[in-house]
């Protein structure tokens, strides 16, 4: 029971720490670099990244979300998820639900998308 409580508490602390950190986790930074290099974002300056370790067993996730502040229009209390990138912890292969048509049913495709 103590081990389960520790794991839950550690995961919660990791999420909170990452959420308030100004420095991106390495996986989130890698996703950000790919998005900027491939010009997949409409406005990179108004985009933020939420790193979720162990989203699924063996998989980390990075949610790409809207950012609203004095430089980016919109309600600062709301950050819509645009899409997610899922990173296999062993192989580092990436998949995403970036295709809007597939977001509803959860289908994932290779990330970055092939042109």
């Amino acid at each position: 029971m103590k081990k389960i409580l520790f794991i839950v508490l550690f995961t919660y602390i990791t999420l909170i720490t990452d959420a308030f950190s100004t420095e991106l986790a390495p996986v989130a930074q890698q996703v950000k670099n790919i998005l900027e290099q491939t010009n997949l974002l409409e406005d990179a300056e108004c985009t933020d990244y939420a790193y979720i370790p162990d989203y699924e067993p063996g998989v980390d996730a990075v949610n790409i979300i809207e950012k609203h502040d004095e430089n980016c229009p919109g309600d600062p209390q709301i950050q819509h998820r645009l899409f997610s990138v899922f990173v296999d912890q062993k192989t580092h292969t990436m998949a995403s639900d970036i295709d809007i048509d597939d977001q509803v049913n959860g289908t994932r495709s290779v990330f970055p998308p092939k042109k």
Side-chain angles (χ1 to χ4, degrees), residues 12-114:
Y12 176 75
I13 291 170
T14 301
L15 287 173
I16 297 301
T17 302
D18 289 339
F20 292 104
S21 176
T22 57
E23 194 172 307
L24 287 176
V27 171
Q29 185 64 54
Q30 185 178 10
V31 169
K32 179 182 181 194
N33 292 344
I34 291 169
L35 288 169
E36 289 175 352
Q37 291 168 2
T38 56
N39 296 317
L40 289 173
L41 297 172
E42 194 171 305
D43 188 352
E45 294 299 318
C46 293
T47 306
D48 217 344
Y49 303 85
Y51 172 63
I52 306 167
D54 297 315
Y55 176 78
E56 296 172 352
V59 176
D60 294 333
V62 178
N63 285 340
I64 292 70
I65 54 179
E66 293 176 345
K67 177 173 68 173
H68 303 290
D69 59 19
E70 61 277 351
N71 299 318
C72 301
D75 184 346
Q77 299 298 318
I78 299 172
Q79 292 183 310
H80 293 105
R81 184 186 74 87
L82 302 171
F83 58 92
S84 298
V85 176
F86 307 92
V87 183
D88 185 286
Q89 293 171 347
K90 289 183 183 175
T91 65
H92 304 286
T93 57
M94 297 183 187
S96 177
D97 60 2
I98 194 169
D99 186 351
I100 294 172
D101 294 334
D102 290 338
Q103 282 184 337
V104 175
N105 66 19
T107 301
R108 297 177 186 173
S109 56
V110 173
F111 181 83
K114 305 286 185 221

